[in-house]
Amino acid sequence: MTVPLFPLPNLVLFPGVVLPLYVFEQRYRSLLADTQASGEPFGIVRILEPSELSSRPLHERVSTVGTLAHLKEAQTHEDGTSTIVVVGGERFQVRGFEFSRPYLSAEVDLWPLEANPPGEEAVVEASVRRLLADLTRLRPADDALIREHAPEDPLLLASFAAALLPIGGETRESALRAPTLLERLDVLLSAVPRNLKLMN
């Protein structure tokens, strides 16, 4: 499948995460118009190198792994810019880039998580509990809110944690690239600040 790409610096979208975006560049206004007309999602990929630090073309500076973004809300302003809300969907891998539109597009393959090995359900549940406990220790003032809004589904809990942990884009992308849910949880747990781990 071919999807329009919306590259963003240091941002990795995870399944189920709601993300507000401000669309102001002309090429992404075109992307939004095409997305609204087709009803299909677009892809969000991380910019690996900003244009200020590299003269390479955009398609050589973006990740080849991303997440489909499903448009939920869009409000266009008088100046032609838009405020939109998307929700993360399926993970994908880029097979090749397309240059026929004003914005970058790519031919992608959906990349679902592999099933965890048999008998690992208890390990996943334990990892989820540890991650939730680490989040509340890291943000004690938000303890009640975190517990109230934390999803029960382990996949969505991993996405929820990835959005709240104080980690950079590279670590978030490592979590997105993890082959299984258990490995994604392990990446996030290993990213919890060391001083917090010492409190556990």
Side-chain angles (χ1 to χ4, degrees), residues 5-15 17-22 42-50 61-69 84 86-89 92 159 162-163 165 167-177:
L5 293 183
F6 198 130
L8 291 166
N10 296 318
L11 192 143
V12 178
L13 181 64
F14 283 84
V17 171
V18 176
L19 177 69
L21 292 170
Y22 180 59
F42 58 90
I44 288 182
V45 291
R46 185 170 71 98
I47 296 176
L48 305 178
E49 283 185 304
R61 296 185 287 107
V62 299
S63 174
T64 55
V65 173
T67 305
L68 294 181
I84 67 173
V86 301
V87 62
F92 63 78
S159 298
L165 285 171
I167 54 180
E170 187 173 342
T171 303
R172 285 192 173 92
E173 184 162 324
S174 293
L176 182 67
R177 287 176 175 270

Side-chain angles (χ1 to χ4, degrees), residues 14-155:
F14 283 84
V17 171
V18 176
L19 177 69
L21 292 170
Y22 180 59
V23 181
F24 60 92
E25 286 189 54
Q26 187 58 53
R27 56 182 164 175
Y28 298 122
R29 295 184 194 185
S30 297
L31 181 153
L32 176 59
D34 290 349
T35 297
Q36 289 175 304
S38 70
E40 297 296 321
F42 58 90
I44 288 182
V45 291
R46 185 170 71 98
I47 296 176
L48 305 178
E49 283 185 304
S51 57
E52 296 84 1
L53 300 179
S54 175
S55 60
R56 294 192 297 164
L58 179 60
H59 71 280
E60 294 182 5
R61 296 185 287 107
V62 299
S63 174
T64 55
V65 173
T67 305
L68 294 181
H70 296 267
L71 185 65
K72 294 301 179 184
E73 299 176 22
Q75 180 181 4
T76 300
H77 310 298
E78 290 184 2
D79 62 358
T81 64
S82 297
T83 303
I84 67 173
V85 176
V86 301
V87 62
E90 301 89 336
R91 178 178 65 171
F92 63 78
Q93 289 181 301
V94 173
R95 281 202 284 126
F97 292 101
E98 299 281 342
F99 307 98
S100 60
R101 306 295 298 171
Y103 46 80
L104 187 63
S105 299
E107 185 71 22
V108 306
D109 293 320
L110 297 183
W111 186 21
L113 287 171
E114 299 171 15
N116 288 309
E120 293 290 342
E121 292 83 0
V123 181
V124 169
E125 290 179 10
S127 295
V128 165
R129 288 195 299 271
R130 284 177 54 207
L131 190 54
L132 184 57
D134 284 345
L135 280 175
T136 57
R137 290 189 183 97
L138 186 62
R139 302 176 62 154
D142 299 324
D143 181 298
L145 281 173
I146 288 172
R147 293 188 181 279
E148 178 183 352
H149 294 288
E152 293 185 8
D153 181 272
L155 173 64

